[in-house]
Amino acid sequence: MATTAPGTPVFLEVRTQLRSALLILGEPKEGGTPMDISITPSSLQVKTPADCTELRLPAEVRLVPSSCRGLQYVAGDGLHLRLQVWAESNAKLISMFNQNSQARECCTFYCQSCGEVIIRDRKLLRVLPLPSENWGALVGEWCCHPDPFANKPLHPQENDCFIGDSFFLVNLRSDLWQPRPELAPVETHCLSSENHFKLKPKANTKVICKRCKVMLGETMSSETTKFYKTEIIIQPSERNFPIIPRSQFVQSVIAQCLVELSTARSTFRFTIQGHDGKVYILLWLLNSDSLVIESLGSSRGITKFPLLEDILKADSSSAWNAVKVLYQPCVKSRNEKLSSAWESDISIHTLTLPSATCLELLLILSRNNATLPPSLRYMNSFQVAFLKM
């Protein structure tokens, strides 16, 4: 973990794959010039007549002082310069399962928001990824006979868990605690797009946490329930519920989805859609190898939101792996034309989440954008943000 003494705001973005870094030294307080900057492989020190800032880098990051180049002053930001860096990525994504080992253990499903037990001691013998949403259209290219999978939805059995892009499907047995839908589910038939099921007619089938009333997922049939990855934590039953700040959990789950989809499908643009069918955010993944190191001084004066208190209570400096994204909000009829163009583009992937979580994610993106140096907050017409992994 990076450590620092209070003083001049410092922002360092390390690209681990490119082995390069952008360093921004914020403008010192009035009367704080001149500045004396000292760079070593493991630390950075900025001295002014008013204060001294020392930033000690994480063990996996080492700067190359002799490679400093491109020094320039940017009004509103301060000094910009680029360096060569040696870095190792130690990103640890918050994962639902630890590959096959956890699939053979008894697992307990918790509500991430409050820790309520949703399913207790479920032994999962099969944890399988669902095919992509367009797999049905490709069956005709694979088979020389009529589609053998026509009108056959993928229902998990008692000890199965099927993993989708932003959700997973489980079979709820009668002897387990049953999540309570607000209204009874309706008949399901045929596979359809991302959700793999189509409900007809449209009905309210939300699954609600008994304790905190947060939406956890939706009922897909009398036995099958879809839980959203952003709302559930799955742990081996012998472990206790892990307390993870809400904003950190949401960022890590979304970052993991973006990285996995971009790697598997070469998809880099996404629409974040609520369970109500409305598009809330347009996301464009720029890179997934960033390590961000910053001092708290760069976020002073930012409006505080209760949802993000865990971020604001961080130490005076922090270092974290992140994905870098461009985004456009689509709430209150904003960016309607761009949203329509993206929705009709088959190369753009849709991630469906509870509508409340979409708004949480938008708030997180806005907060993270506001903490960036002003010159980094926009790229063309898009806003820029980092999502912590």
Side-chain angles (χ1 to χ4, degrees):
M1 178 64 70
T3 57
T4 186
T8 304
V10 177
F11 177 88
L12 179 67
E13 180 192 359
V14 176
R15 295 291 306 278
T16 56
Q17 293 181 5
L18 299 180
R19 294 183 176 178
S20 67
L22 170 64
L23 173 63
I24 299 178
L25 303 175
E27 294 183 334
K29 300 175 183 178
E30 185 177 352
T33 54
M35 300 172 64
D36 183 8
I37 304 171
S38 175
I39 299 177
T40 69
S42 60
S43 66
L44 168 72
Q45 188 179 77
V46 181
K47 290 183 178 179
T48 68
D51 54 44
C52 176
T53 299
E54 184 178 5
L55 186 70
R56 292 183 290 276
L57 304 178
E60 67 271 14
V61 178
R62 286 296 177 264
L63 302 176
V64 181
S66 60
S67 66
C68 294
R69 65 189 186 278
L71 179 64
Q72 61 175 329
Y73 173 79
V74 178
D77 272 8
L79 291 178
H80 286 222
L81 64 132
R82 292 190 175 274
L83 306 95
Q84 192 176 14
V85 65
W86 297 96
E88 297 179 4
S89 176
N90 63 348
K92 294 182 180 179
L93 297 175
I94 299 174
S95 179
M96 295 295 173
F97 298 100
N98 182 17
Q99 300 299 328
N100 294 327
S101 60
Q102 190 167 332
R104 294 184 175 90
E105 300 176 3
C106 284
C107 298
T108 297
F109 292 51
Y110 298 93
C111 169
Q112 195 279 325
S113 297
C114 69
E116 176 75 2
V117 173
I118 306 303
I119 302 176
R120 188 185 299 277
D121 297 336
R122 168 65 66 90
K123 189 169 186 178
L124 299 174
L125 300 180
R126 297 194 307 170
V127 178
L128 303 173
L130 284 167
S132 64
E133 69 274 14
N134 297 318
W135 75 272
L138 299 175
V139 171
E141 303 295 329
W142 301 338
C143 302
C144 59
H145 47 78
D147 182 4
F149 308 106
N151 300 320
K152 292 183 179 180
L154 299 177
H155 288 292
Q157 299 303 311
E158 280 190 1
N159 299 110
D160 293 345
C161 181
F162 292 167
I163 309 296
D165 296 335
S166 59
F167 64 92
F168 51 94
L169 301 178
V170 295
N171 184 294
L172 296 180
R173 299 175 301 183
S174 58
D175 59 329
L176 292 176
W177 181 89
Q178 297 288 334
R180 182 191 62 186
E182 292 185 348
L183 294 178
V186 295
E187 182 182 359
T188 65
H189 67 93
C190 77
L191 292 170
S192 174
S193 69
E194 180 189 359
N195 294 331
H196 298 271
F197 292 89
K198 186 175 182 180
L199 298 179
K200 185 180 180 180
K202 178 80 173 176
N204 186 353
T205 58
K206 294 193 293 185
V207 175
I208 304 298
C209 175
K210 285 184 176 180
R211 179 187 293 175
C212 66
K213 308 304 179 184
V214 164
M215 177 180 175
L216 304 175
E218 301 175 74
T219 55
M220 310 312 296
S221 72
S222 59
E223 294 184 345
T224 302
T225 297
K226 175 174 73 175
F227 289 113
Y228 290 105
K229 292 181 179 180
T230 53
E231 314 308 316
I232 294 290
I233 287 183
I234 303 175
Q235 284 284 102
S237 296
E238 65 270 15
R239 298 183 189 175
N240 295 325
F241 171 73
I243 300 176
I244 302 174
R246 176 65 181 166
S247 61
Q248 177 185 334
F249 183 80
V250 171
Q251 288 184 79
S252 182
V253 170
I254 297 301
Q256 179 174 354
C257 288
L258 298 182
V259 171
E260 290 178 349
L261 288 170
S262 64
T263 301
R265 307 183 190 178
S266 296
T267 299
F268 300 95
R269 291 187 294 168
F270 305 85
T271 56
I272 306 299
Q273 175 181 280
H275 72 278
D276 55 6
K278 297 179 181 179
V279 175
Y280 286 79
I281 311 169
L282 306 180
L283 273 183
W284 196 328
L285 178 64
L286 283 185
N287 63 267
S288 57
D289 67 332
S290 289
L291 174 65
V292 177
I293 303 171
E294 61 180 347
S295 66
L296 188 60
S298 61
S299 60
R300 290 174 183 168
I302 301 300
T303 302
K304 296 185 179 181
F305 302 104
L307 172 68
L308 305 175
E309 285 182 353
D310 56 284
I311 296 177
L312 298 172
K313 290 178 182 177
D315 295 333
S316 58
S317 70
S318 59
W320 32 278
N321 293 93
V323 298
K324 188 175 183 178
V325 298
L326 305 180
Y327 74 96
Q328 286 279 23
C330 296
V331 295
K332 297 183 178 179
S333 301
R334 296 175 63 180
N335 300 302
E336 284 184 319
K337 290 184 179 180
L338 183 59
S339 177
S340 296
W342 279 41
E343 288 182 75
S344 61
D345 190 332
I346 61 174
S347 68
I348 295 175
H349 192 81
T350 297
L351 289 175
T352 302
L353 305 170
S355 298
T357 303
C358 294
L359 294 175
E360 286 183 52
L361 178 59
L362 182 56
L363 180 60
I364 291 169
L365 290 168
S366 300
R367 172 58 170 74
N368 290 354
N369 171 267
T371 62
L372 294 176
S375 66
L376 302 185
R377 294 176 188 173
Y378 292 90
M379 186 176 293
N380 297 327
S381 61
F382 283 80
Q383 298 180 67
V384 181
F386 290 91
L387 291 175
K388 298 182 180 182
M389 299 173 69

PDB file of all heavy atoms in Angstrom, residues 2 70 72 128 214 237 350:
ATOM      1  N   ALA A   2       0.496   2.214  -0.828  1.00  0.00           N
ATOM      2  CA  ALA A   2       1.240   3.460  -0.877  1.00  0.00           C
ATOM      3  C   ALA A   2       0.958   4.274   0.374  1.00  0.00           C
ATOM      4  O   ALA A   2      -0.135   4.261   0.914  1.00  0.00           O
ATOM      5  CB  ALA A   2       0.838   4.254  -2.120  1.00  0.00           C
ATOM      6  N   GLY A  70       8.694  14.582 -21.080  1.00  0.00           N
ATOM      7  CA  GLY A  70       7.412  15.245 -21.338  1.00  0.00           C
ATOM      8  C   GLY A  70       6.945  16.144 -20.225  1.00  0.00           C
ATOM      9  O   GLY A  70       5.731  16.309 -20.026  1.00  0.00           O
ATOM     10  N   GLN A  72       5.557  19.135 -18.430  1.00  0.00           N
ATOM     11  CA  GLN A  72       4.795  20.315 -18.845  1.00  0.00           C
ATOM     12  C   GLN A  72       3.866  20.749 -17.726  1.00  0.00           C
ATOM     13  O   GLN A  72       3.482  19.948 -16.874  1.00  0.00           O
ATOM     14  CB  GLN A  72       3.983  20.022 -20.106  1.00  0.00           C
ATOM     15  CG  GLN A  72       2.950  18.923 -19.950  1.00  0.00           C
ATOM     16  CD  GLN A  72       2.084  18.741 -21.175  1.00  0.00           C
ATOM     17  OE1 GLN A  72       1.812  19.693 -21.902  1.00  0.00           O
ATOM     18  NE2 GLN A  72       1.657  17.513 -21.434  1.00  0.00           N
ATOM     19  N   LEU A 128     -21.557 -24.045 -14.125  1.00  0.00           N
ATOM     20  CA  LEU A 128     -21.301 -24.010 -15.565  1.00  0.00           C
ATOM     21  C   LEU A 128     -21.651 -22.648 -16.152  1.00  0.00           C
ATOM     22  O   LEU A 128     -22.642 -22.022 -15.752  1.00  0.00           O
ATOM     23  CB  LEU A 128     -22.142 -25.086 -16.279  1.00  0.00           C
ATOM     24  CG  LEU A 128     -21.939 -26.531 -15.806  1.00  0.00           C
ATOM     25  CD1 LEU A 128     -22.954 -27.443 -16.482  1.00  0.00           C
ATOM     26  CD2 LEU A 128     -20.520 -26.986 -16.100  1.00  0.00           C
ATOM     27  N   VAL A 214     -33.815  -5.125  -0.508  1.00  0.00           N
ATOM     28  CA  VAL A 214     -33.098  -4.894  -1.771  1.00  0.00           C
ATOM     29  C   VAL A 214     -33.504  -5.959  -2.780  1.00  0.00           C
ATOM     30  O   VAL A 214     -33.732  -7.120  -2.430  1.00  0.00           O
ATOM     31  CB  VAL A 214     -31.573  -4.939  -1.528  1.00  0.00           C
ATOM     32  CG1 VAL A 214     -30.801  -5.100  -2.830  1.00  0.00           C
ATOM     33  CG2 VAL A 214     -31.125  -3.678  -0.808  1.00  0.00           C
ATOM     34  N   SER A 237     -19.701 -22.674   3.298  1.00  0.00           N
ATOM     35  CA  SER A 237     -20.542 -22.562   4.500  1.00  0.00           C
ATOM     36  C   SER A 237     -19.747 -22.430   5.790  1.00  0.00           C
ATOM     37  O   SER A 237     -20.242 -21.882   6.784  1.00  0.00           O
ATOM     38  CB  SER A 237     -21.481 -23.767   4.580  1.00  0.00           C
ATOM     39  OG  SER A 237     -22.379 -23.763   3.487  1.00  0.00           O
ATOM     40  N   THR A 350     -24.976  -5.830 -23.850  1.00  0.00           N
ATOM     41  CA  THR A 350     -25.833  -5.291 -22.799  1.00  0.00           C
ATOM     42  C   THR A 350     -25.645  -6.071 -21.501  1.00  0.00           C
ATOM     43  O   THR A 350     -25.679  -7.303 -21.503  1.00  0.00           O
ATOM     44  CB  THR A 350     -27.316  -5.351 -23.208  1.00  0.00           C
ATOM     45  OG1 THR A 350     -27.519  -4.527 -24.365  1.00  0.00           O
ATOM     46  CG2 THR A 350     -28.212  -4.845 -22.084  1.00  0.00           C
TER      47      THR A 350
END
